[in-house]
Amino acid sequence: MSRIGKKPVPIPAGVTASMEAGTLSVKGPKGELKMPMSDLISYEMQDDGLSVKPANGSKAARAFWGMQRTLVQNLVTGVTEGFTKVLEITGVGYRANSQGKMLKLQLGYSHDVDFAIPEGIEIKTPDNTTVEISGIDKQKVGQVAAEIRRWRKPEPYKGKGIKYRGEYIFRKEGKKK
């Protein structure tokens, strides 16, 4: 029994959800998101929101139940508030700045790294060592953040690299003399 799946997803004012041809579509003030509906799950519009239940008693349907409810919740949250990930850059000479549809990263390589910003994602650099990634699709925001972080992951000796805000880097001691 899924505790998350039992609760219906509340649909706030100004947001409309519709189901047609195996696709769940959610429209809100920030835009529109679509998700393919699983055959193992039944979706129902109710007065208190969108209810997600397993279509049958199979093990796969029960396994998908909580995840599908969370995916629907992410659609609703995305079109109302949006999602943001913040990356922090640590290291001497490491910096970032956004120029139009490109993010220019200087990460200690012999060349600058030019990262093309995908459609539907907005990147801001409030200062040289902070990158704010925002958008309405949670999966896309997280994927872009992971791709930027992959260029220079934090290393355990000096802590240099690109890390998520709030991420703790376990530091190693280094050589003993």
Side-chain angles (χ1 to χ4, degrees), residues 26-45:
V26 180
K27 286 183 187 173
K30 289 198 174 240
E32 179 182 9
L33 287 173
K34 294 181 180 186
M35 177 185 89
M37 294 192 296
S38 174
D39 296 335
L40 299 172
I41 304 295
S42 66
Y43 305 85
E44 293 178 26
M45 286 296 292

Side-chain angles (χ1 to χ4, degrees), residues 84-87 115 118 121 123 131-134 138-151 162-164:
T84 302
K85 287 249 186 201
V86 180
L87 297 174
F115 183 80
I121 297 293
I123 295 183
V131 178
E132 292 180 0
I133 304 154
S134 58
K138 186 173 187 176
Q139 193 275 332
K140 203 181 239 187
V141 170
Q143 182 66 38
V144 168
E147 287 174 6
I148 293 172
R149 183 179 184 268
R150 191 175 65 205
W151 281 102
I162 303 173
K163 67 180 183 113
Y164 298 111

Side-chain angles (χ1 to χ4, degrees), residues 11 13 16 33-35 45 55 74-75 92 113 117 133 141 154 177:
I11 307 289
T16 59
L33 287 173
K34 294 181 180 186
M35 177 185 89
M45 286 296 292
N74 287 343
L75 295 181
V92 177
V113 176
I117 300 171
I133 304 154
V141 170
K177 293 183 180 181

Side-chain angles (χ1 to χ4, degrees), residues 106-158:
Q106 295 174 345
L107 300 171
Y109 295 120
S110 61
H111 59 283
D112 292 350
V113 176
D114 291 330
F115 183 80
I117 300 171
E119 201 66 35
I121 297 293
E122 185 180 324
I123 295 183
K124 295 179 196 161
T125 49
D127 57 38
N128 284 342
T129 60
T130 307
V131 178
E132 292 180 0
I133 304 154
S134 58
I136 62 172
D137 189 353
K138 186 173 187 176
Q139 193 275 332
K140 203 181 239 187
V141 170
Q143 182 66 38
V144 168
E147 287 174 6
I148 293 172
R149 183 179 184 268
R150 191 175 65 205
W151 281 102
R152 184 70 86 177
K153 287 185 179 173
E155 50 101 3
Y157 297 103
K158 292 184 179 179

Side-chain angles (χ1 to χ4, degrees), residues 21-95:
T23 304
L24 175 66
S25 176
V26 180
K27 286 183 187 173
K30 289 198 174 240
E32 179 182 9
L33 287 173
K34 294 181 180 186
M35 177 185 89
M37 294 192 296
S38 174
D39 296 335
L40 299 172
I41 304 295
S42 66
Y43 305 85
E44 293 178 26
M45 286 296 292
Q46 296 176 341
D47 296 338
D48 57 347
L50 190 90
S51 177
V52 179
K53 292 188 168 65
N56 54 36
S58 71
K59 190 173 183 177
R62 286 182 285 130
F64 270 43
W65 183 15
M67 181 190 68
Q68 288 296 316
R69 191 250 180 227
T70 304
L71 291 175
V72 172
Q73 178 65 50
N74 287 343
L75 295 181
V76 173
T77 306
V79 297
T80 54
E81 302 165 17
F83 295 99
T84 302
K85 287 249 186 201
V86 180
L87 297 174
E88 295 172 342
I89 301 173
T90 309
V92 177
Y94 290 9
R95 55 183 150 271

